[in-house]
Every structure is written in C-alpha cells, then in structure tokens.
Amino acid sequence: MIQIRLKPKREKPLLQRHPWVFSGAVDSVEGVPEPGETVDVCSSAGEWLARGAYSPHSQIRIRIWTWEESEAIDESFIAPRIQRALLSRERLAGVPEVTAYREVFAESDGVPGLVVDRYGDLRVVQLLTAGAERWRRQILDVLAKAGECRGLYERSDSDARALEGLAESVGPLWGELPQGPVEIKENGLRFLVDPVAGQKTGFYLDQRENRTRVRAIARGGELLDCFSYTGGFTVAALRGGVERALALESSVAALEMARANLALNGLADDRLEGIAGDAFVELRRLRDRGRQFDVIVVDPPRFAPTSSQVQRAARGYKDINLLAFKLLRPGGLLFTFSCSGGVGPDLFQKIVADAALDAGVKANIIEWLGQPADHPVALSFPEGRYLKGLVIRVEG
Ligand code: SAH
C-alpha cells in the first residue's frame, strides 16, 4: 500500500480521530496514488496513524476510512458502515409522520463523501469524493439491497464533485423510479419533492424540526418566507395559524411547487403571494414600499462553503438580516439561519446582533436552532455542524 508521510507536528488531528488530512500537512507521497486509492498515513517519524482515500485534486488530500491498522479497506468494509447508519435512523423511519430523512451523512457516519436521502421508498444518493466514487459499486449494492426501498437515483451534481476533480453523475441507478415528484410527510405536513429536477437531492431535510418550531411559535399575521424554495416554512407557518405568506425565491419552478404544496395541505391559494427574484433586491423593494411582517424566515443558500469566503459571506448575512429587521413589525419574530460551514454559531450571532444594531431595533434571542438527529455531528468532526438558526423577538 502506498504510504503518505506527514510533515513534523501535523499528526495531532489524526490522533484525535479527525477524518481529514489537508494537502499542506503532507510531506511526501511514495508513488502516485490514483484518485480514491487507499493509502496509509504515517507521522514524520514513520509511525502508522490511519488509512484513507487519496484525492489528488482536493485540498482535503486524504479522507480517513480507519484508525485501526488491522482493518482492511477491501470489498466488504463499507457495507457494515452504511448498515449502521441506516439502523441508527430507524427511530425516524418508524415514525409515520416522517417519511423523508437523511439516511447517511458522510463523515458523521464514518463514510466521507456519501450522502443518502430517503423519500418514501426512494433513495437519492450523492457520491461526493474520490474515495466514495472508488467504492461506488459496493455502496450502491448495499443501498439497493437494504430494506423497504424500491428505487435508487443519483444526484452527484454538487460543486463538491468539481473540487475533487470528478464530473457530474446524475440519473437512475436501480429499481423503480417514480414519474415526476414524490410525496413525503413531515411531522403531519405533506410536500412534493422532485429528486430529478429539484435542488440538491430534492428537499432541505435539515430544516424539518425548525419548520415544526415555526409552526408551533408563529401565530396570526403575515409571514415573509425569504429564500422559500418549495415553501416548507410557508406551509408550516400557515398551518400554525399565520394568515398570509409572501414567499421570496429566485427559482420560479420552486415557487410553483410551493403553490402545489399549499394545495396538498388544504391551504387556500390566495393565502400565498409569490415573488420570483433576487432577495437582495426584492427585500429593498418591500422596504421601500413600506411593507411590514409579523414573522420573517431567512434561510439563504450557503454563502461561505469554505472558511476563505467568510468575509464576503458575513456581509451577505448582515445585509439580509438588516433588511429583515427593518421589515418586522414591533413584537415580530425572526427565524434566521446560516448553513455556511465557514461561519460558526458565535460569528453568526454577532453578525445578526450587528444587523439589529444598524437597523435600530432592540431584540432578544428566544431560541437557538440547529440540525436534526438525522444530520448528526461526530464529536471528532465538529465541521459536521453547519446549520445554525436563531429565533429572535423584536421588542414591541
Ligand atoms: N427554506 C427552504 C430552503 C432554502 S434553500 C426550505 O425550507 O425548503 C435556499 C433557496 O434560496 C433556494 O431555493 C435558492 O433557489 C434560493 N436562492 C438562492 N439565491 C437567491 C437569491 N439571491 N434570491 C432569492 N432566492 C435565492
């Protein structure tokens, strides 16, 4: 097996079972490993540390499969890991109100690069790294055989693939595939999900419990659902007792599906106003027109995929939250989120605090929100925590 030697004093993260080796920590590579090939990682003194998948094009040069020298990375190593991940989601699967959830969450489940989302009896899979791609056949084999699933569809079209030097890979893989969108249930709400044409694998599953919080807390008045996608928060808020909603979203197709989702939940169409456009522009227009809302949800896309884009991302969050504060009625509620891994919870809170100050409002945080149980965070991999949210009440 090819050996990678680390630079002096760069072994600490591996000793703490962090699963990444950055290119800057690598001192020497013995030979030329292929993308995804399994390599041994040693300290500068030659001590064996871990075994992982080599990725020649990524800044994350090696993703660790094992810290046990005796564990072989062969035909059969991946199946038990996937099965363990599936088993750990059984509590969710056993709940009739939830038919869509993340079954495998990459590093957190010991399978870097593999994401599997479940929509009823359909599995949607993303192979995002050279290592996951290398074990494609074995991974898909387990997923096709694992219980109660009738179809497997691939959506490996994330930007992450490009960073790994991999081309997009999208399409049916196995079994029966539904024609058009599938219907899922989320804590008593019904949603249409399009795994083929939708964003990511079709639905933002990570916001499930936060939608439930909006439904529980928001009462009466008007909602602004900024970055609404297919109306997850809109439907939750309307069912929770909000009277009318304005959904702001750049994708026309997503707004159309939001309307279909209203109908699916028995909500009258005239309770939703949709604006297709750029939130940074449209929020200013709403402000200039003097519009006011009782509840605002701000759930933007990832502004900072990596820590190098943090400055720019911080400006984006500040701008959008400042506008949101200006659009809130006294006593109103803001649910504001960041899914940028590069912006930690403390920084996010500080940005939102600055926005409130500039908007001239006094406000309290009444809840901190995060990601649900099917998006766990391994203690040795804090980067797995990416979604954070604040529930803020502006003084009345
Ligand atoms: N809240 C949604 C998920 C939002 S994901 C839910 O619960 O399902 C972020 C959304 O923002 C995507 O739907 C994307 O199309 C949209 N988006 C991205 N950039 C935008 C922009 N500048 N203005 C408005 N919408 C934008």
Side-chain angles (χ1 to χ4, degrees), residues 188-191 211 214-215 223 225 230-242 245 257-267 271-272:
L189 305 176
R190 298 163 69 187
F191 291 106
R211 290 187 197 106
V214 168
R215 186 177 176 186
L223 164 80
D225 185 359
T230 56
F233 283 108
T234 293
V235 168
L238 289 174
R239 283 288 295 270
V242 161
M257 200 171 267
R259 288 211 177 274
N261 283 330
L262 245 67
L264 201 58
N265 289 279
L267 298 162
R271 293 174 73 183
L272 174 65

Side-chain angles (χ1 to χ4, degrees), residues 199 202-208 211 225-234 248-251 254 275-282 297-303 320 337 339:
Q199 297 180 16
F203 201 61
Y204 290 91
L205 295 168
D206 53 1
Q207 290 285 22
R208 180 176 53 249
R211 290 187 197 106
D225 185 359
C226 187
F227 306 98
S228 70
Y229 189 47
T230 56
F233 283 108
T234 293
L248 181 49
E249 163 61 49
S250 58
S251 156
I275 297 184
D278 178 3
F280 290 89
V281 175
E282 298 301 335
V297 175
V298 176
D299 183 21
R302 209 158 45 135
F303 290 155
I320 223 96
F337 297 95
C339 60

Side-chain angles (χ1 to χ4, degrees), residues 20 105 200 206 300-311 313-314 317 337-348 351 371 377 381-388:
W20 291 350
F105 184 37
K200 309 276 166 135
D206 53 1
R302 209 158 45 135
F303 290 155
T306 65
S307 39
S308 62
Q309 289 122 310
V310 170
Q311 285 292 333
Y317 287 120
F337 297 95
S338 160
C339 60
S340 297
V343 176
D346 293 346
L347 175 58
F348 182 56
I351 295 167
Q371 54 204 66
V377 182
F381 184 63
E383 291 86 344
R385 179 180 183 194
Y386 66 98
L387 180 63
K388 52 248 154 235

